[in-house]
């Protein structure tokens, strides 16, 4: 990470403080990944109800992401980061105090605002700070907050739930986010020199269907479905197979793999292009879904986790970098907000849809269905990511440039 040593001291401090805040945010959020479904099951929820409650998280993301992206462009990234972190600090108290499933759904939707705000503000601010010729490298390094947090969070959350109980679990999640608020206070928000047009709020649909945004949004929709299926049901699926594996270790293995990929994928994409690495991530997701579908041992689940981590560690940073390439500085928040809507929709519908499928054909059959979706994502990206099939294929496999990237 020698890039940080080449920056001016103030910029380096800004990035490192932002990194610490991101680490605390994702640790707080991820501590509930393997534990909250088990908590919801313990209060009497069915498979489909668990899916609906967990999927409610993305309702907040879906509703507020576009507006938060516009707010990040107009008022600066820092205020949006603070909104996300404060929501993440408040939500765990709701889980602690409420036992009614409908009310937990409302709290879960409120919790979704946290990632809509923090995710959009974080990536927009990093893109503002990163030199253009090292954009992929810096975004890749800064995105390490996700896998590190997702490695620490589930292990810590699973331990607290098993050894101390749910009260300690939810208090810990809130405390981590509260510390994150303190880390954000000294972060310097650079000014946005060029302001967005006055009618930016009216451009959501037009932006979504534009060639530079639509296919990435569709790919993110499928990624959201796959991740939603894994995050919502993997703990229950492992339990149903009788395999003796703590689901927290699945997330930890995936996070370590994701961390490893981000160390070099971003820098390599500056040289070989974003498309090759997006394609790799979709192939990794597909292989992982196949292994989860067929898993019947600890080893198979852990290998699937490593491959899934490689996919997630490449997909989100590379698509985020690709969207940065395609956006002007004053519209980055809006472009991130609109393109990530596909991801949000995938997470919203993954819980209830796959919960209903699991109710009919079981968790194993459900993951078989998910495999087909990730195969479809490869086909879509390889044929529709550019102006025509030939250019799309070349871009998707690192043989041609991104025709929608803005040259400045």
């Amino acid at each position: 990470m020698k890039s940080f040593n080449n920056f001016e001291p103030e910029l380096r401090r800004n990035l490192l403080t932002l990194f610490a805040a991101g680490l605390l945010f994702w640790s707080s959020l991820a501590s509930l990944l393997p534990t909250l479904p088990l908590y919801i099951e313990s209060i009497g929820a069915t498979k489909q109800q668990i899916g609906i409650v967990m999927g409610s998280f993305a309702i907040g993301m879906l509703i507020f992401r576009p507006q938060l992206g516009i707010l990040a462009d107009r008022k600066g990234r820092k205020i949006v980061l603070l909104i996300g972190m404060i929501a993440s600090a408040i939500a765990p108290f709701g889980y602690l105090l409420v036992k009614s499933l409908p009310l937990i759904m409302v709290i879960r939707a409120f919790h979704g605002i946290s990632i809509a705000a923090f995710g959009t503000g974080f990536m927009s601010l990093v893109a503002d700070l990163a030199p253009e010729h090292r954009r992929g490298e810096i975004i890749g390094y800064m995105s390490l907050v996700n896998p590190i947090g997702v490695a620490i969070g589930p292990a810590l959350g699973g331990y607290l739930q098993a050894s101390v109980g749910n009260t300690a679990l939810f208090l810990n999640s809130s405390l981590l986010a509260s510390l994150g608020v303190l880390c954000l206070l000294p972060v310097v928000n650079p000014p946005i020199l060029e302001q967005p047009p006055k009618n930016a709020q009216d451009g959501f649909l037009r932006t979504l269907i534009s060639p530079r945004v639509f296919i990435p949004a569709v790919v993110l929709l499928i990624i959201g479905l796959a991740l939603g299926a894994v995050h919502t049901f993997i703990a229950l699926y492992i339990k149903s197979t009788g395999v003796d594996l703590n689901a927290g270790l699945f997330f930890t293995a995936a996070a370590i793999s994701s961390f490893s990929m981000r160390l070099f994928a971003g820098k390599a994409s500056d040289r070989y292009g974003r498309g090759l690495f997006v394609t790799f991530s979709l192939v990794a997701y597909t292989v992982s879904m196949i292994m989860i579908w067929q898993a019947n041992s600890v080893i198979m689940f852990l290998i699937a986790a490593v491959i899934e981590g490689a996919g997630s560690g490449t997909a989100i940073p590379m698509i985020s970098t690709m969207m940065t390439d395609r956006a002007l500085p004053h519209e980055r928040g809006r472009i991130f907000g609109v393109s990530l809507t596909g991801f949000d929709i995938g997470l919203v519908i993954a819980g209830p849809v796959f919960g209903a499928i699991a109710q009919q054909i079981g968790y194993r059959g459900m993951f078989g269905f998910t495999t087909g979706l990730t195969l479809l994502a490869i086909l879509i990206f390889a044929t529709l990511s550019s102006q025509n099939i030939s250019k799309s294929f070349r871009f998707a496999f690192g043989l041609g440039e991104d025709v929608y990237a803005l040259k400045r």
Side-chain angles (χ1 to χ4, degrees):
M1 298 177 67
K2 63 181 180 180
S3 299
F4 287 86
N5 296 327
N6 298 331
F7 289 144
E8 295 178 0
E10 182 180 354
L11 177 56
R12 186 165 61 247
R13 283 195 300 271
N14 211 23
L15 287 172
L16 291 175
T17 305
L18 187 60
F19 190 95
L23 186 61
L24 287 163
F25 174 82
W26 286 108
S27 296
S28 168
L29 205 66
S31 67
L32 302 180
L33 282 178
T35 52
L36 192 57
L38 298 175
Y39 170 71
I40 297 169
E41 184 183 50
S42 73
I43 61 175
T46 65
K47 293 182 178 69
Q48 189 168 11
Q49 287 172 332
I50 292 169
I52 292 170
V53 172
M54 295 301 290
S56 298
F57 182 84
I59 294 174
M61 295 168 60
L62 178 60
I63 293 173
F64 289 97
R65 175 101 71 179
Q67 289 83 358
L68 289 165
I70 293 170
L71 180 64
D73 286 336
R74 292 195 179 280
K75 301 297 183 182
R77 322 304 189 193
K78 184 174 179 177
I79 186 171
V80 178
L81 288 168
L82 285 168
I83 289 171
M85 194 72 84
I86 291 170
S88 193
I90 294 172
F93 286 105
Y95 301 130
L96 184 61
L97 298 174
V98 169
K99 303 299 180 184
S100 164
L101 286 178
L103 289 178
I104 291 178
M105 286 177 59
V106 173
I107 294 165
R108 191 68 178 153
F110 169 77
H111 205 170
I113 297 173
S114 67
I115 194 171
F118 192 88
T120 299
F122 188 87
M123 294 309 300
S124 299
L125 183 53
V126 171
D128 290 343
L129 298 172
E132 186 173 351
H133 67 287
R134 293 178 120 172
R135 181 176 291 153
E137 181 182 8
I138 299 302
I139 289 177
Y141 288 153
M142 291 298 290
S143 72
L144 288 171
V145 295
N146 178 278
I148 297 174
V150 175
I152 296 170
L156 179 59
Y159 170 77
L160 288 173
Q161 186 181 51
S163 61
V164 188
N166 291 308
T167 298
L169 166 69
F170 294 131
L171 290 177
N172 169 76
S173 178
S174 179
L175 175 62
L176 291 172
S178 298
L179 292 173
V181 173
L182 297 179
C183 284
L184 284 176
L185 294 178
V187 169
V188 178
N189 197 134
I192 301 170
L193 300 179
E194 185 179 357
Q195 292 299 310
K198 296 294 184 182
N199 64 346
Q201 291 95 329
D202 301 326
F204 175 81
L205 182 59
R206 185 181 302 172
T207 302
L208 177 62
I209 64 175
S210 66
R212 60 178 174 157
V213 174
F214 184 68
I215 293 304
V218 171
V219 171
L220 284 168
L221 167 65
I222 297 175
I223 291 173
L225 285 167
L227 280 179
V230 172
H231 287 177
T232 304
F233 295 110
I234 194 67
L236 299 170
Y237 176 44
I238 292 172
K239 182 179 176 181
S240 73
T241 62
V243 173
D244 186 19
L245 173 65
N246 182 337
L249 294 177
F250 179 96
F251 289 105
T252 299
I256 292 171
S257 174
S258 177
F259 175 92
S260 302
M261 287 302 303
R262 292 173 199 234
L263 284 175
F264 74 89
K267 184 175 182 178
S269 76
D270 287 333
R271 180 175 180 181
Y272 299 108
R274 322 302 183 196
L276 177 64
F277 292 90
V278 174
T279 301
F280 165 80
S281 71
L282 297 175
V283 172
Y285 272 121
T286 301
V287 174
S288 174
M289 291 303 111
I290 291 172
M291 294 200 67
I292 292 173
W293 173 26
Q294 298 296 319
N296 54 19
S297 67
V298 171
I299 293 297
M300 285 191 72
F301 275 115
L302 291 179
I303 293 175
V306 169
I307 298 173
E308 189 273 329
S312 63
T314 310
I316 302 301
M318 287 303 96
I319 294 178
S320 296
T321 307
M322 183 171 70
M323 299 317 298
T324 302
D325 294 341
R326 297 178 176 191
L328 294 168
H330 70 268
E331 61 177 0
R332 281 177 184 150
R334 181 162 55 95
I335 292 296
F336 280 133
V338 172
S339 62
L340 287 169
T341 297
F343 184 74
D344 298 343
I345 292 173
L347 290 177
V348 166
I349 65 177
V353 168
F354 288 128
I357 293 173
Q359 199 81 35
Q360 297 299 317
I361 61 175
Y363 293 124
R364 193 176 296 276
M366 181 201 75
F367 281 109
F369 181 81
T370 308
T371 300
L373 290 178
T374 56
L375 283 169
L376 178 63
I378 296 172
L379 180 63
I380 289 171
F381 190 74
T383 59
L384 299 173
S385 58
S386 192
Q387 291 173 330
N388 54 48
I389 293 177
S390 175
K391 289 182 178 179
S392 296
F393 184 88
R394 291 179 60 80
F395 171 59
F397 290 95
L399 303 173
E401 63 180 15
D402 184 1
V403 299
Y404 298 122
L406 303 177
K407 309 298 182 185
R408 290 184 287 276

